[in-house]
Amino acid sequence: MLEKLFQLREHGTTPRSEIVAGITTFLTMSYIIFVNPEILSTTGMDKNAVFVATCLAAALGTFIMAFVANWPIGMAPGMGLNAFFAFTVVGGLGYTWQQALGAVFISGVIFILITVTGVRSWLIAGIPKSLRSAIAAGIGLFLAIIALVSSGIVVANPATKVALGDLTTAPPLYAILGFFLIAALDALKVRGAILIGILVVTVLSIFTGHTQFHGIVSAPPSLAPTFFQLDIMGALQTGIVHVILVLVLVEVFDATGTLIGVATRANLIQPGKPGRLGRALLADSSAIVAGSMLGTSSTTAYVESAAGVQAGGRTGLTALTIGVLFLLALFLSPLASAVPAYATAPALLYVAGLMLREITEIQWDDVTEATPAALAAMTMPFTYSIANGLAFGFISYVVLKAVTGRYRDIHPATLLVALLFVVKYAAFPE
């Protein structure tokens, strides 16, 4: 049956290799079941319900990837997108988390439509590579400031805006320990380095009395507080249109880049031959819609899937294994509820550092490419908004290309996005 479902012989693999690969990928990405509830609960969402929604969305999305695309790629709520949801859409712009879920739902539907109609290819081809790289780097900087603040390493200061926190207190010390532990383990090629770092800090915190222990295993909590709580009509307010635009852009760039990168490494696609990329993107966009109904931010393909590919994963059986493990993780809710913010902060900070590698892809020798990219990346952490970063990047790109006479460099897709952001700032400045 497995052979018929996943064409194992055709891909030169075995059930054992696929299962081992699935376990490997799960270990590298399972930190999200602790980090996502911590981030989204800041909006007022029930932390236990978000934990369940995270596990279910990850499992469902990965199952879709397994059976629709037959690719060895794990899915889960995306880092960066969850921070945008919590700290910009709800925390900054003042929308309810129900409206934010509605925006995620609409963005997923749009993602499905542009994938089915082929608009996605036009959009991806039209966005400059420097801006795409800057978006990833900027999201990394955004995650970094969230991590540093939540751990107490960086604090507010009326004179200098930000300042160094008290490093002699427990939260910063635990966060620093966790960061060095994660970095060291990853450098030593230890699978699940981020997960291990989170768990070690949590256990130490429990033993020293800084965190209350609730147990490790229990029946899954109720999903009711977030299940089908999305407010689609509220998300259709004109003021939230730019939020949907940002979600679609980041979802499309993130998913396409990750899927192509991991699939290329697994020899599932060749240059000029997309293979099952369309199916994989359909799986990704469908998972976004399903996740919003369950009660979590945008679900996306995880670049950590490359670890499973390195371990021999080549088919959807790897993804099926990952999905099953996310379902089993549902029984770890007591442990998840005990994880403090300063245990997940090192994970955020480390992922942020990894995302900054994208700045090497920016054309720094071309001012009309480098300046918009730099503005996009810097604006995200300094305005605490991914949306503002995208806006500054796209608008400045079009302006600089136009005033230097390089009109042909401005793709219609880039011009359209820039104009939409101009309209947003003119009509809805808040």
Side-chain angles (χ1 to χ4, degrees):
M1 188 176 89
L2 291 177
E3 174 60 38
K4 185 178 180 180
L5 278 174
F6 302 114
Q7 295 91 49
L8 300 179
R9 289 196 192 93
E10 181 183 331
H11 290 88
T13 186
T14 64
R16 182 183 180 280
S17 295
E18 294 292 299
I19 292 170
V20 169
I23 294 171
T24 300
T25 297
F26 176 78
L27 288 174
T28 60
M29 65 181 287
S30 56
Y31 63 86
I32 194 64
I33 66 176
F34 302 115
V35 177
N36 201 49
E38 187 66 44
I39 291 176
L40 296 191
S41 63
T42 62
T43 66
M45 298 177 76
D46 183 88
K47 188 174 181 180
N48 287 327
V50 174
F51 168 78
V52 175
T54 300
C55 292
L56 290 179
L60 182 58
T62 308
F63 287 150
I64 296 172
M65 184 66 70
F67 295 112
V68 174
N70 193 25
W71 275 12
I73 292 176
M75 307 272 293
M79 295 287 285
L81 286 165
N82 53 7
F84 176 66
F85 179 106
F87 301 112
T88 299
V89 181
V90 178
L93 298 175
Y95 293 105
T96 66
W97 60 263
Q98 292 91 340
Q99 289 173 319
L101 286 177
V104 171
F105 175 86
I106 295 168
S107 73
V109 172
I110 294 172
F111 192 172
I112 291 174
L113 292 175
I114 66 175
T115 298
V116 172
T117 59
V119 174
R120 179 201 61 84
S121 300
W122 174 79
L123 185 62
I124 289 293
I127 306 304
K129 192 173 188 301
S130 290
L131 272 184
R132 293 206 301 268
S133 299
I135 290 167
I139 291 173
L141 291 171
F142 184 50
L143 290 177
I145 194 168
I146 291 169
L148 292 169
V149 170
S150 67
S151 62
I153 295 174
V154 170
V155 295
N157 184 292
T160 60
K161 305 299 182 186
V162 293
L164 186 67
D166 184 358
L167 299 186
T168 63
T169 58
L173 288 173
Y174 277 126
I176 293 168
L177 171 65
F179 178 79
F180 284 131
L181 180 59
I182 290 170
L185 290 174
D186 201 29
L188 294 171
K189 309 297 182 186
V190 175
R191 302 295 186 197
I194 295 177
L195 177 63
I196 293 170
I198 292 172
L199 293 177
V200 167
V201 170
T202 300
V203 170
L204 286 175
S205 181
I206 290 170
F207 275 115
T208 55
H210 292 99
T211 300
Q212 190 174 355
F213 181 59
H214 304 289
I216 298 176
V217 178
S218 74
S222 172
L223 182 63
T226 60
F227 186 59
F228 269 95
Q229 296 298 311
L230 64 171
D231 181 3
I232 298 173
M233 296 310 296
L236 289 173
Q237 296 178 45
T238 50
I240 206 172
V241 169
H242 76 290
V243 169
I244 297 170
L245 173 63
V246 171
L247 286 170
V248 171
L249 288 174
V250 176
E251 287 163 0
V252 170
F253 298 155
D254 193 25
T256 304
T258 298
L259 289 170
I260 290 176
V262 176
T264 300
R265 190 175 297 188
N267 293 318
L268 295 171
I269 57 175
Q270 306 297 329
K273 298 178 181 179
R276 290 177 172 245
L277 178 61
R279 289 191 178 196
L281 285 164
L282 189 60
D284 194 297
S285 51
S286 300
I288 293 171
V289 173
S292 68
M293 295 177 182
L294 292 167
T296 184
S297 52
S298 303
T299 304
T300 190
Y302 262 58
V303 71
E304 284 87 349
S305 301
V309 167
Q310 188 69 29
R314 293 294 181 273
T315 74
L317 181 53
T318 294
L320 177 62
T321 304
I322 298 167
V324 169
L325 290 171
F326 270 115
L327 288 181
L328 293 176
L330 282 167
F331 298 94
L332 298 177
S333 61
L335 180 60
S337 66
V339 175
Y342 51 78
T344 57
L348 286 176
L349 190 59
Y350 189 66
V351 171
L354 297 179
M355 295 180 76
L356 282 176
R357 292 184 295 192
E358 289 292 327
I359 62 174
T360 60
E361 301 299 320
I362 296 171
Q363 291 179 250
W364 293 107
D365 57 346
D366 184 344
V367 172
T368 63
E369 294 281 339
T371 301
L375 276 174
M378 292 188 295
T379 305
M380 289 185 194
F382 292 138
T383 65
Y384 222 63
S385 169
I386 294 172
N388 288 334
L390 263 69
F392 276 52
F394 277 94
I395 293 171
S396 61
Y397 183 89
V398 171
V399 170
L400 285 175
K401 291 292 184 181
V403 298
T404 55
R406 296 169 63 175
Y407 303 103
R408 291 185 179 180
D409 289 351
I410 306 173
H411 191 279
T414 305
L415 179 60
L416 175 62
V417 173
L419 288 175
L420 287 173
F421 276 122
V422 170
V423 170
K424 183 268 168 187
Y425 283 124
F428 312 103
E430 294 299 324

